[in-house]
Amino acid sequence: MSNKVIPTLLVVDDEPRNIQVVSNVLKEIDDYHILYATNGEQALQRVEKNDIDLILLDMMMPLLDGLETCKRLKADPRYSAIPVIFLTAKNDEESLIKAFDAGAVDYISKPFLRRELIARVTTHLHLRLAQKELSSELYENKELLKQYKEIVDLSSIVTKSDPSGRIIYANDNFCAISGYTHDELIGKSHNIVRHPEVPSSFYKEMWATIQQKQPWRGIVKNITKEGKIYVVDAVVSPILNSKDEIIEYISLRKDITPLIELKEEIEATQKELILMLGNVGENRSKETAAHVRRVAEYAKILAVAYGLSPSECEILWSTATMHDIGKVGIPDHILNKPGKLSDEEFAIMKTHAETGYSFFKNSSRRLLQAAAIVAHEHHERWDGLGYPRGIAGEDIHIFGRITAIADVFDALGTKRVYKRGWEIDEILNYFKEQSAKQFDPKLVELLLVNVDKFLAINETYQDILE
């Protein structure tokens, strides 16, 4: 079956002979569907009932002439796109101007030439059919875009902003999650949902990216009208016109608050388990029940002073409790010996670093990876004379270097059954002597600056001796 489109032409002339001549010529060149009318009113009726592709319209007719007929067609948006070619015996300048002012796309002088008629009709039909095809495609694209928009609106949290960042559209999902009505949002900036804990630099980086005509994606913490926190995975993209100018920004978001809350719950559980595991290791010697907590607090003080990120400080605070977890593998008679260890016993004691590392080394979790580092490297020395690997300087992870100072500070100041607790001046002198030998010199300086905080921790978390 052929899918060829057969164009429909309407020939309007008060002389049937002229209609017949035109029809005969056109049927010679293609299989056109030709309708006719002998006056303007009849022509308008034909147009209403048929899908007309081209009109050949006599200018001079009784009752409703061609000019008025053309004007009425062009005034009706349903038919204004149909091309009209005037058939006229009047080819003076004034008549031609009137024809084009009425909306004609062309004219053919009577008596017309066969080749001229064919050429003009063929040209304007090609243009008309191309226009209809383009219009059909545009309509289909608009329908598709409409459906896409409906799907996005249903599945995402959407806003659109003008080039200055003012909200010009917010879908129902955005209103629902933010707690604001459409009227409260339109014309406002997104600062209306900005969480105060999110730094200005975060939004400056986002704004810089989209102003460079690049999409931005990130996790954003926001706050509702009622003050509740919600978190979204957001994409913000500039929309450009044909001149490559930004005309608006569109933001699509997915609410990931439940995922964030679950992640925080899991991390909190991990931290609690790690603290409990640390206590398991230390509580085999009841004299050091609070040791792991003090080491964690000391480590956090040094981490903050050193300039680690907030997340790194929290991770170290959680995992510093794991520094001696490997001691669960040390025999009780060595672990709790009330006196100096023999060389053989000390060699066994040193295995706790490798043992602790082995517990966590195969984990892909960030927290447990950090625990592995702390357990493995807290007995390494700045000068390379430590154990178990004898690494030196900054080859030792910062978590290991910090925990080494926190552990030794607490051990020196804590009373044991086999030794007295050192006075603070003795402890500080020891660290000064061992700076750049056993310990990272920068961290020793930070310890000396923050010693009052260390002493406050020591007072807060005292050992309970039985």
Side-chain angles (χ1 to χ4, degrees):
M1 178 181 289
S2 174
N3 292 323
K4 179 182 177 182
V5 176
I6 299 176
T8 299
L9 283 69
L10 175 62
V11 182
V12 187
D13 199 304
D14 60 336
E15 290 288 341
R17 183 175 61 83
N18 289 339
I19 294 175
Q20 189 63 54
V21 171
V22 171
S23 298
N24 290 340
V25 172
L26 294 178
K27 285 182 177 180
E28 291 177 11
I29 60 172
D30 211 331
D31 188 21
Y32 296 135
H33 182 210
I34 300 175
L35 303 176
Y36 68 90
T38 56
N39 59 64
E41 290 289 353
Q42 194 178 58
L44 294 175
Q45 292 172 8
R46 295 277 192 276
V47 171
E48 283 187 10
K49 296 179 180 179
N50 299 275
D51 182 15
I52 307 297
D53 294 305
L54 178 67
I55 300 174
L56 295 171
L57 180 61
D58 184 19
M59 185 179 290
M60 302 298 294
M61 293 184 296
L63 301 177
L64 188 65
D65 66 16
L67 289 174
E68 184 60 30
T69 302
C70 187
K71 288 178 181 177
R72 292 189 186 184
L73 287 170
K74 297 303 175 180
D76 191 326
R78 295 174 296 171
Y79 314 124
S80 60
I82 301 173
V84 175
I85 299 177
F86 273 119
L87 302 174
T88 178
K90 300 177 68 175
N91 56 9
D92 59 282
E93 182 179 349
E94 182 179 354
S95 296
L96 296 179
I97 290 174
K98 288 181 178 179
F100 287 119
D101 284 347
V105 296
D106 209 342
Y107 72 94
I108 300 174
S109 297
K110 292 181 180 180
F112 52 80
L113 299 175
R114 176 178 174 280
R115 293 183 64 179
E116 179 185 14
L117 174 64
I118 293 172
R120 293 184 186 275
V121 168
T122 302
T123 297
H124 287 290
L125 264 180
H126 285 165
L127 290 173
R128 171 59 174 164
L129 294 178
Q131 180 193 49
K132 288 179 73 175
E133 184 177 358
L134 179 60
S135 297
S136 176
E137 290 178 358
L138 287 174
Y139 175 78
E140 289 184 9
N141 287 337
K142 285 182 179 179
E143 286 299 306
L144 287 173
L145 287 173
K146 179 182 177 182
Q147 293 176 57
Y148 293 155
K149 179 181 179 299
E150 290 173 352
I151 292 171
V152 169
D153 269 338
L154 285 172
S155 61
S156 301
I157 302 164
V158 184
T159 58
K160 292 196 292 184
S161 309
D162 64 21
S164 69
R166 300 289 174 179
I167 298 171
I168 58 175
Y169 171 80
N171 73 346
D172 292 342
N173 291 337
F174 188 86
C175 293
I177 196 169
S178 69
Y180 291 97
T181 66
H182 290 90
D183 290 341
E184 290 174 319
L185 292 167
I186 301 303
K188 304 294 194 306
S189 76
H190 285 87
N191 284 340
I192 195 170
V193 294
R194 176 176 173 177
H195 194 284
E197 291 179 3
V198 181
S200 298
S201 58
F202 178 87
Y203 293 101
K204 287 180 180 178
E205 185 270 331
M206 176 198 298
W207 191 247
T209 300
I210 60 177
Q211 284 190 314
Q212 291 297 316
K213 303 175 184 177
Q214 299 294 321
W216 177 93
R217 181 169 188 172
I219 306 299
V220 186
K221 180 191 287 188
N222 289 326
I223 191 166
T224 68
K225 183 178 180 180
E226 294 77 25
K228 296 181 179 178
I229 295 172
Y230 68 96
V231 183
V232 293
D233 183 357
V235 176
V236 185
S237 183
I239 304 300
L240 310 178
N241 62 15
S242 59
K243 298 179 182 178
D244 200 39
E245 300 168 330
I246 296 174
I247 56 173
E248 64 183 26
Y249 300 100
I250 185 167
S251 304
L252 305 180
R253 308 167 185 81
K254 182 177 179 61
D255 180 18
I256 59 170
T257 308
L259 293 177
I260 295 298
E261 290 175 345
L262 178 60
K263 177 175 178 288
E264 290 175 349
E265 176 66 22
I266 291 172
E267 289 179 349
T269 302
Q270 287 178 341
K271 290 176 182 179
E272 186 173 346
L273 287 173
I274 284 174
L275 181 60
M276 292 170 66
L277 284 172
N279 284 328
V280 167
E282 292 297 337
N283 284 346
R284 290 185 61 199
S285 172
K286 294 183 179 180
E287 294 177 327
T288 58
H291 171 65
V292 291
R293 184 58 184 269
R294 291 195 298 268
V295 169
E297 297 295 337
Y298 298 152
K300 187 173 183 179
I301 292 171
L302 288 177
V304 172
Y306 191 82
L308 298 186
S309 69
S311 64
E312 289 174 318
C313 293
E314 285 300 313
I315 287 173
L316 180 55
W317 177 83
S318 298
T319 57
T321 59
M322 290 284 95
H323 68 283
D324 276 340
I325 187 62
K327 286 183 178 179
V328 297
I330 304 301
D332 285 346
H333 72 276
I334 295 175
L335 184 64
N336 296 315
K337 183 178 179 179
K340 186 177 179 179
L341 300 177
S342 67
D343 290 345
E344 181 180 337
E345 290 170 335
F346 184 59
I348 294 172
M349 177 65 81
K350 289 196 296 183
T351 64
H352 80 276
E354 287 283 3
T355 301
Y357 173 66
S358 69
F359 292 160
F360 308 112
K361 66 179 181 179
N362 294 321
S363 174
S364 61
R365 303 296 180 185
R366 188 180 180 191
L367 204 62
L368 298 183
Q369 288 175 344
I373 291 169
V374 168
H376 203 208
E377 300 186 11
H378 73 287
H379 282 298
E380 300 289 359
R381 291 171 53 106
W382 185 260
D383 57 14
L385 299 179
Y387 67 87
R389 292 184 294 162
I391 55 178
E394 293 188 355
D395 287 341
I396 308 168
H397 195 284
I398 185 60
F399 287 0
R401 295 176 352 238
I402 288 176
T403 307
I405 288 182
D407 186 28
V408 172
F409 181 90
D410 194 71
L412 293 178
T414 302
K415 181 181 178 181
R416 297 286 188 261
V417 293
Y418 54 86
K419 76 171 188 70
R420 67 178 179 82
W422 289 20
E423 298 297 328
I424 186 61
D425 289 341
E426 294 178 282
I427 296 173
L428 297 182
N429 286 333
Y430 178 80
F431 276 100
K432 291 174 185 177
E433 292 171 1
Q434 293 299 317
S435 179
K437 296 177 184 177
Q438 184 175 352
F439 306 113
D440 180 340
K442 180 176 180 180
L443 290 173
V444 171
E445 290 179 10
L446 295 175
L447 165 62
L448 298 176
V449 170
N450 291 278
V451 67
D452 289 344
K453 295 179 181 178
F454 274 59
L455 295 177
I457 294 298
N458 186 266
E459 286 294 319
T460 302
Y461 301 102
Q462 289 287 312
D463 282 324
I464 300 175
L465 302 180
E466 295 183 358

